[in-house]
Amino acid sequence: MPHSFGTRARTRHMFAKKFRQHGPTRLSQYFLPVKVGDYVDIFANPSIHKGMPHKHYHGRTGIVFNVTKSAVGVRVNKLVNGRILEKRIHVRIEHIRKSKCQKEIIARKQANEAAKKRAAETGEKADLKRHPKPPKEGYFLAAPGGDGEITTIQPL
Protein backbone atom coordinates (compact mmCIF):
# COMPACT_ATOMS: atom_id res chain seq x y z
CA MET A 1 0.00 0.00 0.00
CA PRO A 2 1.52 3.41 -0.92
CA HIS A 3 2.57 5.75 1.85
CA SER A 4 0.26 8.74 2.44
CA PHE A 5 1.63 12.28 2.65
CA GLY A 6 -1.65 14.21 3.08
CA THR A 7 -1.99 17.35 5.18
CA ARG A 8 -3.66 15.36 7.98
CA ALA A 9 -1.50 12.24 7.67
CA ARG A 10 -0.39 10.68 11.00
CA THR A 11 -2.76 12.80 13.12
CA ARG A 12 -4.91 9.99 14.52
CA HIS A 13 -4.34 10.99 18.16
CA MET A 14 -3.37 14.63 17.60
CA PHE A 15 -6.68 15.57 15.99
CA ALA A 16 -8.86 13.50 18.32
CA LYS A 17 -10.75 14.95 21.27
CA LYS A 18 -9.84 13.72 24.73
CA PHE A 19 -12.09 11.43 26.76
CA ARG A 20 -15.28 13.21 27.92
CA GLN A 21 -14.25 16.40 26.09
CA HIS A 22 -16.50 15.90 23.03
CA GLY A 23 -19.33 18.21 22.09
CA PRO A 24 -19.69 21.78 20.83
CA THR A 25 -17.15 24.50 21.51
CA ARG A 26 -17.91 26.70 24.51
CA LEU A 27 -18.97 30.28 23.75
CA SER A 28 -16.24 31.60 26.06
CA GLN A 29 -13.72 30.39 23.48
CA TYR A 30 -15.18 32.82 20.93
CA PHE A 31 -15.00 35.71 23.41
CA LEU A 32 -11.36 35.04 24.27
CA PRO A 33 -9.69 38.44 24.80
CA VAL A 34 -6.66 38.42 22.48
CA LYS A 35 -4.50 41.46 21.80
CA VAL A 36 -1.51 42.06 19.55
CA GLY A 37 1.64 40.97 21.36
CA ASP A 38 -0.03 38.25 23.46
CA TYR A 39 1.54 34.81 23.72
CA VAL A 40 -0.84 32.08 22.53
CA ASP A 41 -0.67 28.32 22.16
CA ILE A 42 -1.88 26.84 18.87
CA PHE A 43 -3.98 23.83 19.78
CA ALA A 44 -6.13 22.54 16.92
CA ASN A 45 -9.76 21.79 17.79
CA PRO A 46 -10.56 18.74 15.64
CA SER A 47 -14.33 19.35 15.61
CA ILE A 48 -13.89 22.62 13.67
CA HIS A 49 -12.20 22.17 10.31
CA LYS A 50 -12.36 25.79 9.18
CA GLY A 51 -9.22 27.76 9.88
CA MET A 52 -7.44 24.73 11.32
CA PRO A 53 -3.64 25.08 11.41
CA HIS A 54 -1.33 22.55 9.81
CA LYS A 55 -0.37 19.64 12.06
CA HIS A 56 3.18 21.02 12.44
CA TYR A 57 1.92 24.05 14.37
CA HIS A 58 -0.22 22.00 16.79
CA GLY A 59 1.11 22.60 20.33
CA ARG A 60 3.39 25.50 19.30
CA THR A 61 3.54 28.84 21.07
CA GLY A 62 3.56 32.08 19.13
CA ILE A 63 2.98 35.82 19.39
CA VAL A 64 -0.16 37.49 18.04
CA PHE A 65 0.56 40.01 15.28
CA ASN A 66 -2.95 40.50 13.89
CA VAL A 67 -6.52 40.15 15.17
CA THR A 68 -9.43 39.91 12.74
CA LYS A 69 -13.16 39.26 13.15
CA SER A 70 -12.90 35.49 13.54
CA ALA A 71 -9.19 34.70 13.33
CA VAL A 72 -5.83 35.57 14.84
CA GLY A 73 -2.49 36.08 13.09
CA VAL A 74 0.33 34.34 14.94
CA ARG A 75 4.13 34.49 14.51
CA VAL A 76 5.59 31.01 15.05
CA ASN A 77 9.14 29.71 14.74
CA LYS A 78 9.64 26.70 12.46
CA LEU A 79 12.80 24.64 11.97
CA VAL A 80 13.46 24.20 8.24
CA ASN A 81 16.66 22.47 7.06
CA GLY A 82 18.66 23.49 10.13
CA ARG A 83 17.55 27.11 10.28
CA ILE A 84 14.70 28.70 12.23
CA LEU A 85 12.21 30.68 10.17
CA GLU A 86 9.53 32.96 11.55
CA LYS A 87 6.25 31.91 9.99
CA ARG A 88 3.18 34.14 10.07
CA ILE A 89 -0.04 32.13 10.00
CA HIS A 90 -3.69 33.00 10.52
CA VAL A 91 -5.67 30.61 12.70
CA ARG A 92 -9.31 30.76 13.73
CA ILE A 93 -9.96 31.65 17.37
CA GLU A 94 -11.25 28.12 18.14
CA HIS A 95 -7.73 26.75 17.69
CA ILE A 96 -6.05 29.24 20.06
CA ARG A 97 -5.39 29.16 23.82
CA LYS A 98 -3.85 31.82 26.01
CA SER A 99 -0.31 30.72 26.83
CA LYS A 100 0.97 30.42 30.39
CA CYS A 101 4.64 30.64 29.33
CA GLN A 102 5.04 34.21 30.66
CA LYS A 103 3.28 33.61 34.00
CA GLU A 104 6.45 32.94 36.04
CA ILE A 105 8.32 35.84 34.45
CA ILE A 106 5.51 38.31 35.20
CA ALA A 107 5.22 37.04 38.79
CA ARG A 108 8.99 37.44 39.26
CA LYS A 109 8.85 40.99 37.84
CA GLN A 110 6.09 41.95 40.28
CA ALA A 111 7.98 40.41 43.21
CA ASN A 112 11.15 42.28 42.19
CA GLU A 113 9.30 45.60 41.95
CA ALA A 114 7.79 45.05 45.42
CA ALA A 115 11.23 44.16 46.82
CA LYS A 116 12.74 47.27 45.23
CA LYS A 117 10.01 49.45 46.74
CA ARG A 118 10.53 47.86 50.19
CA ALA A 119 14.30 48.35 49.89
CA ALA A 120 13.87 52.01 48.98
CA GLU A 121 11.65 52.58 52.03
CA THR A 122 13.97 50.80 54.50
CA GLY A 123 17.22 51.96 52.92
CA GLU A 124 18.77 48.52 52.50
CA LYS A 125 19.86 46.78 49.29
CA ALA A 126 17.51 44.21 47.72
CA ASP A 127 18.87 41.01 46.17
CA LEU A 128 16.83 40.52 42.98
CA LYS A 129 18.89 37.72 41.45
CA ARG A 130 17.66 34.19 41.02
CA HIS A 131 19.66 31.67 43.01
CA PRO A 132 19.90 27.92 42.43
CA LYS A 133 18.29 25.72 45.05
CA PRO A 134 20.88 25.03 47.77
CA PRO A 135 21.71 21.47 48.83
CA LYS A 136 19.76 19.98 51.74
CA GLU A 137 21.08 20.40 55.28
CA GLY A 138 22.98 17.43 56.71
CA TYR A 139 21.61 15.43 59.65
CA PHE A 140 22.28 12.28 61.66
CA LEU A 141 19.90 9.38 61.30
CA ALA A 142 19.08 7.38 64.44
CA ALA A 143 19.77 3.65 64.11
CA PRO A 144 16.56 1.60 64.29
CA GLY A 145 16.00 -0.81 67.18
CA GLY A 146 18.66 0.10 69.69
CA ASP A 147 21.08 2.59 71.16
CA GLY A 148 23.72 1.94 68.51
CA GLU A 149 26.00 -0.41 70.51
CA ILE A 150 28.97 -1.59 68.46
CA THR A 151 29.76 -5.29 68.83
CA THR A 152 32.56 -7.39 67.44
CA ILE A 153 32.98 -11.11 66.91
CA GLN A 154 34.22 -12.78 70.15
CA PRO A 155 36.90 -15.46 69.93
CA LEU A 156 35.85 -18.99 71.04
Side-chain angles (χ1 to χ4, degrees):
M1 201 152 122
H3 192 59
S4 172
F5 291 102
T7 54
R8 288 185 66 155
R10 293 172 292 282
T11 60
R12 178 182 182 175
H13 300 293
M14 186 188 297
F15 290 161
K17 286 213 171 188
K18 302 287 183 267
F19 179 62
R20 292 175 65 184
Q21 297 297 317
H22 298 268
T25 307
R26 295 180 183 91
L27 285 178
S28 61
Q29 179 68 36
Y30 293 99
F31 295 123
L32 191 71
V34 180
K35 299 187 295 290
V36 173
D38 284 354
Y39 281 81
V40 293
D41 295 330
I42 299 170
F43 202 88
N45 183 352
S47 64
I48 294 158
H49 300 158
K50 259 191 161 181
M52 183 184 271
H54 188 265
K55 64 188 175 193
H56 177 272
Y57 301 107
H58 181 82
R60 305 286 169 147
T61 301
I63 302 170
V64 175
F65 74 88
N66 187 22
V67 179
T68 63
K69 179 170 58 76
S70 58
V72 173
V74 184
R75 293 182 301 149
V76 188
N77 288 336
K78 183 177 182 181
L79 185 68
V80 180
N81 292 336
R83 64 194 193 278
I84 297 174
L85 301 178
E86 184 190 76
K87 305 287 280 190
R88 294 164 80 102
I89 61 170
H90 278 82
V91 182
R92 278 180 77 105
I93 197 74
E94 295 97 317
H95 309 290
I96 291 293
R97 291 181 185 173
K98 282 272 198 163
S99 182
K100 297 176 183 170
C101 66
Q102 295 282 299
K103 191 179 273 187
E104 290 178 10
I105 296 170
I106 292 168
R108 190 165 53 86
K109 276 185 181 176
Q110 290 174 347
N112 284 353
E113 291 302 320
K116 273 193 232 175
K117 190 175 180 183
R118 244 183 286 115
E121 290 170 358
T122 59
E124 59 189 34
K125 192 174 180 186
D127 183 23
L128 304 177
K129 292 185 178 181
R130 292 177 287 174
H131 297 289
K133 190 174 150 188
K136 291 181 182 176
E137 290 292 322
Y139 60 93
F140 290 103
L141 188 63
D147 55 355
E149 185 180 318
I150 299 173
T151 59
T152 59
I153 299 171
Q154 301 297 324
L156 293 174

